[in-house]
Amino acid sequence: MAVLIDAIDVKRKTLFELENTPYACLEAEVTSPTARGAQTLVRLKMRNLLTSAVFEKTFKANDKFKEPDLQIVPASYLYSDGDGSHFLDQESYETLTLTDKMVGNALDFLIEGALIQLHKYNGNPIGLQLPIFVELDVVYAEPGSRGDSSSGSGTKLAKLETGLEIRVPLFIKDGEKVKVSTENREFAGRA
């Protein structure tokens, strides 16, 4: 029997199923009315894990949700082609293909062999989760000179091996490996 989750127990990052669709809670706000007999309401900001659509909806505190049949499996990135992006499930050694929509902008951070977490819903791949930081090689860094602080930040543009362009400190050179945050797409240090 599926586990049921009360709406009032849904917190940030909780996964739940509504109308046979998996969702992730982004924010939860409980409103307790002052009038007697009025019901406590829970306002959820949630992301549809199949379409990535984000919206808000209000539920009664005692509304129940099913726990989704979600699995997170380790996988490694193989390559991308016209059919989509291909990953190797590290447990079953099965090749799984995700559409461009499922992958989103994750290709900016993926090189061949990169390990990620693949999300499966009812046994089918629906998306992926990148690590917080990835290490990528700098293929081109603008020349920066010591007195180049006209922008005030002391950074320059660098192109990484995936094609992603980020701002890096002036001391970073071509061929260096840098650590990049996948959340804000910014330089996080040398690797």
Side-chain angles (χ1 to χ4, degrees):
M1 172 152 166
V3 176
L4 295 178
I5 306 165
D6 286 332
I8 199 154
D9 294 330
V10 174
K11 305 285 181 254
R12 189 173 177 270
K13 293 189 176 182
T14 301
L15 301 174
F16 60 95
E17 190 172 303
L18 175 67
E19 298 165 358
N20 296 320
T21 305
Y23 290 91
C25 176
L26 303 175
E27 291 175 22
E29 182 184 328
V30 177
T31 312
S32 298
T34 53
R36 266 201 199 154
Q39 289 196 329
T40 300
L41 300 175
V42 180
R43 184 168 187 78
L44 299 179
K45 184 175 183 180
M46 49 205 228
R47 170 176 281 128
N48 181 322
L49 295 178
L50 300 177
T51 64
S52 294
V54 175
F55 58 95
E56 292 187 12
K57 193 167 181 178
T58 303
F59 300 94
K60 295 176 185 164
N62 59 356
D63 283 351
K64 301 208 181 302
F65 304 114
K66 281 191 344 189
E67 197 170 83
D69 177 20
L70 272 176
Q71 292 175 291
I72 297 176
V73 295
S76 60
Y77 175 64
L78 298 172
Y79 62 93
S80 293
D81 61 16
D83 297 332
S85 297
H86 305 278
F87 297 85
L88 179 67
D89 183 323
Q90 295 293 299
E91 292 173 346
S92 68
Y93 298 106
E94 168 186 13
T95 301
L96 304 167
T97 303
L98 271 67
T99 64
D100 292 341
K101 189 176 179 185
M102 290 177 190
V103 174
N105 64 3
L107 290 179
D108 289 344
F109 304 103
L110 293 176
I111 55 171
E112 189 178 318
L115 288 174
I116 52 106
Q117 300 292 317
L118 199 67
H119 294 244
K120 285 180 164 183
Y121 176 63
N122 292 336
N124 299 316
I126 60 167
L128 57 93
Q129 180 178 326
L130 293 167
I132 295 170
F133 297 104
V134 292
E135 295 180 0
L136 298 169
D137 290 330
V138 175
V139 292
Y140 173 75
E142 288 180 344
S145 60
R146 201 162 263 170
D148 186 13
S149 58
S150 57
S151 62
S153 61
T155 63
K156 61 184 180 180
L157 204 60
K159 188 171 185 173
L160 306 178
E161 61 186 307
T162 61
L164 177 66
E165 291 185 350
I166 62 169
R167 303 233 33 109
V168 297
L170 296 173
F171 58 82
I172 299 293
K173 298 176 186 66
D174 294 4
E176 285 194 60
K177 210 177 233 338
V178 293
K179 200 170 173 182
V180 181
S181 165
T182 57
E183 291 177 355
N184 59 19
R185 307 170 76 87
E186 291 178 359
F187 174 81
R190 279 184 165 149

